[in-house]
């Protein structure tokens, strides 16, 4: 169980997160909000890459920060930026990430093969990531996030910049990540998560507006018929399904 207690984050005078409290149990969660809402900031705090100004992240009641390597080994994270590892081949990137995660040399080969197969990139494994399409880059990021079968998987805008066919592929990959895990996926595009998330967390200007199942959100936000309409209610017309820009 992942618990966020009263998390606030300031960048100088800018308040990116404002008293976020949340409890996540196994399941797929969609973190939905427009650009600038604070999604990446929240994910960076959950993954321990960024310190909150105040508040705490707890894993099964323990302070994640104090757990150190034990927390990192149960965590898989795909950051929003691409292009960091363009000169690596797929296989080298995955070996590197597997080593960072502390997966033993003995287990690495099988585990890398498993995740490559999972995202259907086995045939491209020996090519540099720089030659991959946007969709393939996102898939290799998802692949490294599930190396070692982590209990907590955090995916920051895994569908950003992808064409519709690639979006479906990533969505199916996420849906099929096996079993008893907490999977948190951020997006500003409703259709990416509407059908796969057990619950949606609506984030606006650093605050959680609501957190519920899609049917409950629809009921609560004016008895509308889908998540797109909830989004319009909460965030206004101008931001709806705008996938043209990403940070
Ligand atoms: N390193 C930073 N320094 C200053 N402001 C930042 C920094 N990172 C993010 N912000 C600001 O914090 C807010 C939330 O950003 P971010 O978490 O990236 O949102 P999202 O991922 O939802 O687009 C935005 O207003 C953004 O400009
Ligand atoms: Mg972001």
């Amino acid at each position: 169980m992942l618990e966020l207690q009263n998390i606030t984050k300031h960048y100088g005078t800018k308040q990116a997160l404002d008293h976020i409290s949340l409890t996540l149990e196994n399941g797929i969660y969609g973190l939905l909000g427009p650009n600038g809402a604070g999604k990446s900031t929240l994910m960076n705090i959950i993954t321990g890459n960024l310190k909150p100004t105040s508040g705490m992240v707890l894993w099964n009641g323990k302070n994640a920060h104090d757990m150190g390597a034990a927390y990192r080994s149960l965590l898989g994270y795909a950051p929003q930026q691409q292009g960091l590892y363009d000169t690596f081949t797929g296989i080298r990137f995955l070996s590197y990430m597997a080593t960072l995660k502390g997966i033993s040399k003995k287990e690495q080969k099988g585990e890398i093969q498993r995740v490559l197969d999972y995202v259907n990139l086995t045939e491209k494994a020996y090519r540099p990531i720089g030659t991959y399409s946007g969709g393939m880059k996102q898939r290799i990021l998802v692949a490294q996030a599930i190396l070692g079968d982590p209990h907590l998987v955090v995916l920051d805008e895994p569908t950003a910049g992808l064409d519709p066919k690639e979006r479906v592929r990533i969505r199916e990959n996420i849906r099929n990540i096996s079993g008893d895990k907490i999977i948190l996926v951020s997006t500003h595009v409703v259709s990416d998560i509407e059908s796969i998330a057990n619950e949606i967390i609506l984030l606006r200007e650093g605050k959680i507006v609501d957190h519920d199942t899609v049917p409950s959100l629809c009921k609560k936000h004016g008895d509308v018929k889908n998540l797109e309409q909830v989004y319009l209610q909460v965030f206004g017309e101008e931001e709806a399904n705008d996938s043209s820009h990403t940070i």
Side-chain angles (χ1 to χ4, degrees):
M1 185 169 84
L2 180 73
E3 258 180 289
L4 309 181
Q5 286 186 345
N6 243 334
I7 291 193
T8 292
K9 178 68 186 176
H10 292 271
Y11 295 109
T13 56
K14 165 85 200 171
Q15 181 163 25
L17 295 175
D18 186 3
H19 296 91
I20 300 284
S21 293
L22 199 60
T23 300
L24 305 183
E25 308 212 21
N26 290 347
I28 301 179
Y29 294 84
L31 179 61
L32 180 64
N35 285 322
K39 303 182 295 298
S40 296
T41 301
L42 188 59
M43 288 183 148
N44 275 308
I45 288 171
I46 290 171
T47 56
N49 293 310
L50 198 62
K51 270 196 175 159
T53 306
S54 61
M56 224 179 354
V57 177
L58 301 178
W59 178 260
N60 292 336
K62 284 190 210 142
N63 187 335
H65 185 259
D66 297 341
M67 287 173 67
Y71 182 65
R72 287 194 295 279
S73 73
L74 58 81
L75 174 72
Y77 170 50
Q80 195 173 348
Q81 314 98 301
Q82 290 191 350
L84 296 177
Y85 298 98
D86 277 359
T87 60
F88 285 39
T89 61
I91 198 109
R92 200 174 145 229
F93 171 59
L94 292 174
S95 308
Y96 172 71
M97 295 308 292
T99 302
L100 284 185
K101 287 185 178 202
I103 297 170
S104 71
K105 275 274 175 278
K106 220 172 85 190
E107 286 167 307
Q108 279 190 19
K109 198 167 169 234
E111 188 55 11
I112 288 169
Q113 195 52 58
R114 179 185 77 84
V115 300
L116 277 169
D117 281 345
Y118 183 76
V119 298
N120 202 14
L121 280 175
T122 301
E123 284 176 14
K124 309 282 193 230
Y126 290 93
R127 299 215 188 146
I129 292 173
T131 66
Y132 287 14
S133 68
M136 286 160 60
K137 285 184 182 178
Q138 290 294 9
R139 281 189 275 138
I140 201 108
L141 281 179
V142 171
Q144 64 76 28
I146 60 169
L147 274 171
D149 208 21
H151 195 149
L152 172 62
V153 179
V154 177
L155 307 173
D156 196 356
E157 303 228 23
T159 52
L162 302 189
D163 67 31
K165 206 169 132 192
E166 290 172 324
R167 306 187 95 87
V168 171
R169 214 163 179 168
I170 288 278
R171 197 156 72 212
E172 292 313 308
N173 280 165
I174 295 167
R175 195 204 299 274
N176 295 327
I177 295 175
S178 65
D180 300 340
K181 294 185 196 311
I182 298 173
I183 301 173
L184 181 63
V185 186
S186 75
T187 184
H188 56 280
V189 181
V190 166
S191 57
D192 285 343
I193 46 166
E194 178 155 29
S195 65
I196 61 168
N198 304 107
E199 291 186 27
I200 307 287
I201 302 153
L202 297 170
L203 190 67
R204 185 182 63 200
E205 293 172 5
K207 291 192 181 75
I208 293 181
V209 179
D210 210 340
H211 166 210
D212 217 326
T213 62
V214 171
S216 298
L217 289 174
C218 289
K219 236 190 193 109
K220 282 194 271 183
H221 294 268
D223 216 1
V224 293
K225 61 178 191 303
N226 56 36
L227 188 60
E228 175 100 55
Q229 292 180 323
V230 172
Y231 193 101
L232 291 174
Q233 293 278 335
V234 172
F235 300 108
E237 303 269 344
E238 76 278 10
E239 280 285 357
N241 256 345
D242 180 359
S243 57
S244 62
H245 58 291
T246 52
I247 292 174

